[in-house]
Amino acid sequence: MKCNISICGSDGTRKLEKESSGSSPAELWAVYDGEYREGDRIELRCDRENAFIYVKLDDAMDGAVLFYTGPYSFPIPFGEAKLSYSPSSFSGKRHYLYVREATEAEVAQERNLACNPWDFHGNTGLFPHTWANVETRGESVFASRNAVDGLVANSFHGEWPYSSWGINRDPEAEFHLEFGREVALTAIGIWLRADFPHDAWWTQGTISFSDGSSLTLHFEKTGAEQRFSFPAKKVTSLTFHKLIKADDPSPFPALTQIAAYGREA
């Protein structure tokens, strides 16, 4: 398996390009000496699709085992888009990027199959991937990707690490999670945003799975993880919706993090 990492400017200029040797297991690191500019993108390509790879494209962000389905092109965040990322990320004059084949043990173990710190709106190559029918004011700190970035800080709202999925007070809000392949799930974990009394909370929500089944979740007013177990089911996606807000003066319930526990199908 060969992997290629490139850093491309807004004009298409390749500021860095490095390719693995094709040895097994594939491993590739790259160091970029330079400051990122608006319009820069990190591009990742592998010569085998539908493969599991470990991805860490910035030293200030977590790495994760992800499912690669095709070319991945990540826009370096600036300005408002940067608010949901660590201030240390993508900053400075030297950057370390790393990718490798995931080990058999990493792929086989039970884990949170929803986590992807490298998700973003236009992501079509690294799964899991999220999207929502509404995000508060279109702001990055309320985007769907925040609910799978692995961060569970939920006692405040807004900038990193307190980002969340915000629903803009819409009772018809829906959060969608796509795995990119079939997985076997056994539990769902939910961290409600808990910036009380600014925040309200949901007393109930529904998880609808791609196999046609659904699970009704009943929530308590807490910032702790609320986990819901069920017999293993094989699915490719799920939707978190039918959200019922508590009778509370605040109009602002939100989702800090969702976990989908299970194994590869």
Side-chain angles (χ1 to χ4, degrees), residues 40-58:
D40 285 355
R41 304 181 74 92
I42 299 173
E43 297 190 350
L44 171 63
R45 288 177 170 78
C46 300
D47 67 353
R48 190 169 79 236
E49 296 182 352
N50 300 324
F52 293 96
I53 57 177
Y54 175 87
V55 178
K56 183 177 173 66
L57 301 178
D58 187 86

Side-chain angles (χ1 to χ4, degrees), residues 144-161:
S144 65
R145 68 159 297 273
N146 300 324
V148 298
D149 63 4
L151 302 176
V152 298
N154 60 355
S155 61
F156 196 62
H157 69 282
E159 297 180 11
W160 179 94

Side-chain angles (χ1 to χ4, degrees), residues 56-63 85-91 96 118 160:
K56 183 177 173 66
L57 301 178
D58 187 86
D59 53 272
M61 289 181 61
D62 289 340
Y85 293 89
S86 166
S88 301
S89 64
F90 311 107
S91 63
Y96 175 75
W118 299 99
W160 179 94

